[in-house]
Amino acid sequence: PQPRHPGKVTSSAGLMGNIFANVHAAINPPLPHIAVVGSSYSGKSTFLYGIAGREGSSVKFCRNSEHLNFCDRHLQSVPQHLTGKFPWATAAGIVFIVDCDPGTNPGSVAKALLNSVLAQPTLHADTPLLILANKQDIQTALSPALVCTELGVDMDSLTRPCWVQGTACNDMRGVDAGLRWIVAATAQEPETSWLPTVRRVPWTTWVLVRELAVLVFYITIKGPLSVLGSILSFIFRRNRRRYKRV
């Protein structure tokens, strides 16, 4: 049989599941999402595995991409062929890794990839962008300033926060400075020390109060009424059969 309200939970088990799911989401909010983008062999995997080796965590591979939780952030590598399918609306920041080896011709490939990412319609205009000029351990590597020129990035005309950092992901040289910047740029609560202090109730408290009120209502009112209705219905059906026999 079709449900009376499609898409609406009507069973007690579904209602309880929704309550506990909302409480869990309030206690454990999702981490800010940072997309790690770069062309093939630019150093995305080396970057993530290097961070995981330092923090003692592990990189998880799921759905053609690598995932890593770092400093209350969720880093996810985005393959070059899946940039159009990535949910850019959920991205709190972008780490764009460039292969600075002149033999790989980084100007054309990386520039086209960066332009396709920044042109995504769901990407917010104020999403921070961190550009890592990787493979600086090579003597002939392009400098960070030259990388900006090759990518066509004008720091003065950009509307989004942007930082360019020279790195060598093989030995994690220069990575710490870039990570400090992207962590600060994707902070959920900006620095407002100059504002007067105002005590406010956290939104998680309101969610907990609301879900507890629903739970108390279900246990104290709706539950007993359902039980009483079942008992009265049983008594009515039993008396009805008895009258039919008489």
Side-chain angles (χ1 to χ4, degrees):
Q2 296 294 331
R4 289 177 296 176
H5 303 284
K8 185 177 180 180
V9 177
T10 56
S11 63
S12 59
L15 178 62
M16 297 295 291
N18 285 346
I19 292 175
F20 288 120
N22 293 336
V23 172
H24 182 270
I27 298 175
N28 301 308
L31 299 178
H33 210 93
I34 298 178
V36 181
V37 192
S39 58
S40 301
Y41 305 104
S42 60
K44 299 188 299 294
S45 299
T46 307
F47 170 73
L48 292 176
Y49 280 97
I51 298 175
R54 286 184 170 188
E55 297 299 317
S57 57
S58 60
V59 177
K60 297 180 180 179
F61 190 82
C62 178
R63 295 181 180 179
N64 298 325
S65 61
E66 294 153 323
H67 300 256
L68 173 67
N69 290 338
F70 165 78
C71 195
D72 292 334
R73 305 292 189 276
H74 181 78
L75 279 70
Q76 178 181 351
S77 65
V78 181
Q80 186 174 354
H81 64 284
L82 294 178
T83 54
K85 299 181 179 180
F86 185 80
W88 293 105
T90 62
I94 302 173
V95 177
F96 189 81
I97 303 179
V98 182
D99 184 356
C100 295
D101 186 0
T104 59
N105 191 15
S108 59
V109 179
K111 183 178 181 180
L113 180 59
L114 179 61
N115 290 336
S116 66
V117 170
L118 298 181
Q120 295 297 323
T122 58
L123 180 65
H124 298 289
D126 57 349
T127 303
L129 172 64
L130 171 62
I131 300 177
L132 297 182
N134 193 24
K135 301 186 180 180
Q136 292 296 314
D137 51 339
I138 301 176
Q139 294 182 355
T140 58
L142 302 179
S143 64
L146 189 55
V147 168
C148 289
T149 304
E150 293 289 334
L151 296 178
V153 175
D154 188 2
M155 303 294 290
D156 298 330
S157 62
L158 278 179
T159 58
R160 68 180 71 251
C162 183
W163 181 264
V164 183
Q165 179 68 41
T167 59
C169 292
N170 288 331
D171 53 7
M172 303 300 286
R173 237 184 307 165
V175 173
D176 290 341
L179 288 176
R180 282 195 295 268
W181 183 88
I182 194 66
V183 168
T186 56
Q188 293 180 337
E189 297 181 0
E191 184 65 29
T192 56
S193 57
W194 55 274
L195 293 175
T197 304
V198 179
R199 297 188 63 182
R200 295 181 178 180
V201 179
W203 68 273
T204 54
T205 304
W206 295 113
V207 174
L208 292 175
V209 170
R210 183 191 67 185
E211 299 301 333
L212 288 177
V214 173
L215 183 61
V216 169
F217 169 77
Y218 182 79
I219 294 176
T220 59
I221 299 178
K222 188 175 181 180
L225 288 178
S226 300
V227 174
L228 180 60
S230 300
I231 294 175
L232 293 177
S233 177
F234 174 76
I235 295 174
F236 175 76
R237 288 197 303 267
R238 186 176 180 182
N239 292 336
R240 189 176 179 182
R241 283 192 229 117
R242 183 181 300 174
Y243 293 144
K244 285 183 177 180
R245 292 176 182 176
V246 173

